Amino acid sequence: MASITNARVVKIKGENEISINIPASFLESTMGEEVDASRFNHAVIIFTPSTRIIKIYPSKSDQVARIEVEIGELTPDFLQDVSSIFLETSIKTLYSTGVCFTSEACLYEVYADKMDLPSHISVDELKNRLKEIRGVSNVKIDFLSPDKAWEG
């Protein structure tokens, strides 16, 4: 019988800083058959407080861009417009939230490995393209790295 999920219990070590060892075979199963997990030295850990779910995505570099789009007025074409920009600019995403409503705002977040960001478009150009979408009120792009303080 085929399984729906892949799970493993791992040991958590440490007090002030936690260390979790994840077997390479487990990571490889999340990336497809042709991928060697040893090529990935970093991972981004994404926690969604509303669902209490933690997601781990291997990354090729030690920096991951978090692109946060604040939506003042959600339009029917919003997701199509955002998707078009990412396709046109060849940005490969690790994860996107979909449109999420928080108590303060309506947001859309995307995470992308810095190595997968194309060199032909700057961060400012990407911000400006996203700000041009009807209904978008603000765009914030920052880079997460192991030496950057934990946010949350």
Side-chain angles (χ1 to χ4, degrees), residues 90-140:
S90 302
I91 294 175
K92 297 176 190 169
T93 62
L94 291 170
Y95 174 77
S96 68
T97 59
V99 177
C100 297
F101 296 90
T102 68
S103 58
E104 297 91 35
C106 178
L107 301 173
Y108 178 75
E109 288 182 349
V110 174
Y111 291 84
D113 192 317
K114 186 171 184 182
M115 285 184 69
D116 289 333
L117 294 176
S119 59
H120 68 274
I121 185 167
S122 71
V123 169
D124 287 336
E125 288 174 293
L126 178 58
K127 265 188 193 181
N128 291 334
R129 292 274 315 268
L130 292 168
K131 284 180 183 178
E132 290 172 358
I133 297 172
R134 193 177 63 156
V136 169
S137 57
N138 194 25
V139 175
K140 179 181 167 187

Side-chain angles (χ1 to χ4, degrees), residues 53-76:
I53 293 175
I54 296 172
K55 297 181 181 197
I56 301 172
Y57 295 92
S59 62
K60 294 175 241 170
S61 70
D62 66 347
Q63 292 189 42
V64 172
R66 178 178 48 206
I67 303 164
E68 183 181 279
V69 180
E70 187 174 331
I71 307 159
E73 179 188 340
L74 183 59
T75 63

